Amino acid sequence: MPFPNSSALSPSFLLASIPGLEASQGWLSLLLCCAYLVAVTGNSSVLVVVRLEPTLHTPMYLLLCMLAATDLALATCTVPRALCSYWLQARDISFGACLLQMFLIHSLSAVESSVLLAMAVDRYVAICHPLRHAAVLTNASTASLGLLAVARAVLFFLPLPLLLLPLPFCGPWGLSHSFCLHQDVMNLACGSTTPSMVYGLTAILLVMGLDALLICLSYSLILRAVLRLAAWQDRLRAFGTCVAHGCVVLAFYVPLIGLSVVHRFGRDLPPMVHVTMGFIYVLMPAVLNPIIYGVRTKQIRRRIWSLVRVSDRTPW
């Protein structure tokens, strides 16, 4: 019998296990745990290094800190709960906790998209208008961009859980991911989900879709400006400053598009595909971003090695 979730009898959902691989679930969850530890260590290292190195207190590295903090929060609000479901068989998640996790996942993704757009604008101003870069992008304006990104994410994605509150759920309760996503939860409702579906698609298009379009526009302008440079050494140097950010953009948007395609058109795909794509979406940016910027940025690499050497010399 369906019942509205506003009642005291709100359902609990079942987080997805690793279908067909229950016997190997311990080893696979160990790999997931290792990936999470890499993400936590890498992003925490970026935050600590930028905090300790005064020469890195610039808009570009402040944006990098925002990106690292967002990745850290996104991984932390999903992976530990999934590991509990694997190791402790605690697959039940209450309706309220599921809605909260869903809001955090989508809003943090929106924040990351906004930060990537701000980083693209930073590269555009630095390459196309270098004399105005210091005046346009200051530490204060960068902090304002971060606050604007958070406010934008909350404004657009807070309605997602609110639109699901009045819907009745009549089973089945099993989710296709090991955490709560909007469309996954919405598909379990037995009432009309048209308003929730339309708003969810609109919010994604107006935030992630618009950001992706503006990032492509920024890089097209950067490419045009770089190709006008006379010396190939200058072209190579200008391209090099954008390589790391381009890889970070791909690490975010490719899993996002892949997950969207799986949700829209992959209902007949094996459950393992849904579970795997969910973890790729959550963990790929968090794992790759610190590695990309750590390898690319000499200041971060040198500071990390100096901290490692100091820790090795410290007596225990």
Side-chain angles (χ1 to χ4, degrees):
M1 175 181 178
F3 51 86
N5 291 309
S6 57
S7 69
L9 301 176
S10 298
S12 293
F13 296 112
L14 289 177
L15 299 175
S17 61
I18 304 178
L21 298 173
E22 285 78 5
S24 305
Q25 189 163 283
W27 291 104
L28 294 174
S29 58
L30 183 61
L31 292 176
L32 177 63
C33 181
C34 291
Y36 174 66
L37 292 177
V38 170
V40 171
T41 303
N43 287 286
S44 299
S45 299
V46 170
L47 293 172
V48 170
V49 166
V50 175
R51 174 66 179 86
L52 295 178
E53 184 59 54
T55 60
L56 299 181
H57 295 175
T58 60
M60 184 180 73
Y61 293 103
L62 292 180
L63 290 172
L64 180 57
C65 283
M66 295 179 194
L67 191 67
T70 304
D71 285 334
L72 193 59
L74 183 57
T76 300
C77 74
T78 53
V79 177
R81 183 63 185 85
L83 290 175
C84 286
S85 70
Y86 295 154
W87 289 343
L88 306 178
Q89 302 302 315
R91 293 178 57 197
D92 289 1
I93 183 170
S94 67
F95 183 71
C98 189
L99 290 188
L100 176 60
Q101 187 185 56
M102 181 185 71
F103 166 70
L104 290 175
I105 291 173
H106 291 289
S107 60
L108 288 170
S109 298
V111 171
E112 180 154 356
S113 179
S114 300
V115 172
L116 290 175
L117 174 59
M119 295 174 80
V121 173
D122 174 76
R123 293 298 86 206
Y124 164 73
V125 177
I127 292 175
C128 300
H129 304 282
L131 298 179
R132 300 174 57 186
H133 182 260
V136 173
L137 286 168
T138 63
N139 288 351
S141 64
T142 305
S144 300
L145 287 175
L147 294 176
L148 183 61
V150 173
R152 180 193 187 210
V154 172
L155 177 65
F156 273 93
F157 288 97
L158 182 59
L160 288 185
L162 298 180
L163 287 171
L164 293 177
L165 278 175
L167 293 179
F169 289 81
C170 47
W173 313 114
L175 298 171
S176 60
H177 297 288
S178 300
F179 42 83
C180 297
L181 293 175
H182 172 252
Q183 186 158 345
D184 201 14
V185 177
M186 181 186 67
N187 288 338
L188 299 181
C190 51
S192 175
T193 60
T194 300
S196 184
M197 179 177 61
V198 171
Y199 182 82
L201 182 59
T202 302
I204 289 177
L205 290 176
L206 290 178
V207 178
M208 285 76 157
L210 181 60
D211 289 350
L213 183 63
L214 293 176
I215 289 172
C216 291
L217 177 62
S218 298
Y219 273 97
S220 65
L221 295 174
I222 290 172
L223 180 61
R224 187 178 67 175
V226 169
L227 292 178
R228 290 178 177 176
L229 297 176
W232 68 268
Q233 295 92 338
D234 294 336
R235 294 181 186 178
L236 188 61
R237 190 181 305 110
F239 275 125
T241 62
C242 300
V243 167
H245 182 252
C247 293
V248 168
V249 169
L250 292 176
F252 175 76
Y253 281 103
V254 170
L256 174 63
I257 294 172
L259 186 63
S260 300
V261 170
V262 167
H263 270 299
R264 302 291 174 184
F265 308 108
R267 293 188 178 184
D268 297 330
L269 292 174
M272 185 64 181
V273 175
H274 292 266
V275 175
T276 304
M277 281 303 304
F279 284 124
I280 289 175
Y281 167 67
V282 168
L283 280 174
M284 180 178 283
V287 171
L288 291 183
N289 290 353
I291 297 175
I292 292 171
Y293 276 105
V295 171
R296 181 67 190 170
T297 309
K298 293 180 180 179
Q299 296 94 324
I300 293 179
R301 192 166 61 246
R302 289 172 180 170
R303 188 67 181 187
I304 289 177
W305 280 116
S306 66
L307 291 175
V308 171
R309 286 195 297 268
V310 169
S311 64
D312 289 341
R313 291 195 297 266
T314 301
W316 296 98

